[in-house]
Amino acid sequence: MKVVAFAASSSRNSINKRLVAYAAGFLKEAEIELLDINDFELPLFSVDREAELGQPELAKLFLQKLGNADAILIAFAEHNLSYSVAYKNLFDWCSRIDPKVFQGKPMVLLATSPGGRGGQTVLATALESAPRFGGEVKASLSIPSFNSNFDSLKEELTNDELKAKLSETMNSLLD
């Protein structure tokens, strides 16, 4: 199984990047391609820019990577109760090329934040919209209070209950 995994964050020190890399490690038999959305940075989407630029090659490449995967794993950063601008912009460009951005792939959606809600608002938005854009959401999980529940030296969850939930969530991709 080939899994494309990425954090919907442009921060170099993103806790969602750390979470998605850690979560992908639960898929021992899978081939993981960990993407950085910074490698797909595009001008801000608008219909005017689309008319001027057409379909950007980086958006096509991102869609191709999703299309070549058997499954998709995303960890969402929450910016003011919504998607990060970097993710939303990439998604907007991609959806103009193919409205079924996720191309029928099974998905696991994650989110974390330093706060006690763990990115639940953006995760709820993603859960509602992913099926409309061709995603087959198998499971989701919010990890609250990331800095209290994640060991930065070992790069792993320290909370056994959350670790068990994450393992179960990731195993849903194998079903």
Side-chain angles (χ1 to χ4, degrees):
M1 171 186 277
K2 181 176 180 179
V3 178
V4 166
F6 63 93
S9 172
S10 60
S11 171
R12 280 179 253 141
N13 300 313
S14 168
I15 58 178
N16 280 281
K17 284 182 183 180
R18 293 167 65 197
L19 175 61
V20 81
Y22 173 68
F26 282 85
L27 302 171
K28 301 290 185 209
E29 303 299 317
E31 174 190 338
I32 307 296
E33 183 174 10
L34 195 57
L35 302 179
D36 184 334
I37 66 169
N38 289 310
D39 295 336
F40 302 91
E41 189 171 327
L42 295 164
L44 286 178
F45 176 81
S46 72
V47 292
D48 294 333
R49 284 229 170 90
E50 181 182 33
E52 176 187 325
L53 301 173
Q55 299 175 337
E57 290 304 314
L58 288 175
K60 290 178 186 177
L61 178 60
F62 188 78
L63 283 169
Q64 181 181 33
K65 292 203 174 274
L66 296 180
N68 290 338
D70 298 309
I72 300 169
L73 171 61
I74 307 172
F76 289 93
E78 185 171 280
H79 291 192
N80 296 319
L81 305 176
S82 191
Y83 298 122
S84 71
V85 171
Y87 172 75
K88 181 67 168 79
N89 191 55
L90 176 59
F91 183 85
D92 286 347
W93 278 107
C94 289
S95 70
R96 296 294 285 203
I97 297 168
D98 183 352
K100 298 296 183 188
V101 173
F102 302 120
Q103 304 171 53
K105 306 298 179 179
M107 307 173 74
V108 165
L109 306 181
L110 306 173
T112 192
S113 74
R117 289 188 33 83
Q120 288 180 24
T121 303
V122 72
L123 188 57
T125 301
L127 286 167
E128 183 179 326
S129 69
R132 297 174 189 217
F133 294 97
E136 182 189 339
V137 179
K138 293 293 196 174
S140 67
L141 183 65
S142 165
I143 303 291
S145 306
F146 183 81
N147 297 322
S148 299
N149 288 310
F150 197 84
D151 184 320
S152 296
L153 295 176
K154 294 181 181 177
E155 287 295 310
E156 68 178 3
L157 285 171
T158 56
N159 180 308
D160 289 336
E161 184 180 332
L162 288 173
K163 191 183 289 189
K165 285 181 181 178
L166 182 58
S167 177
E168 182 181 322
T169 299
M170 296 310 299
N171 283 333
S172 71
L173 277 181
L174 305 175
D175 296 339

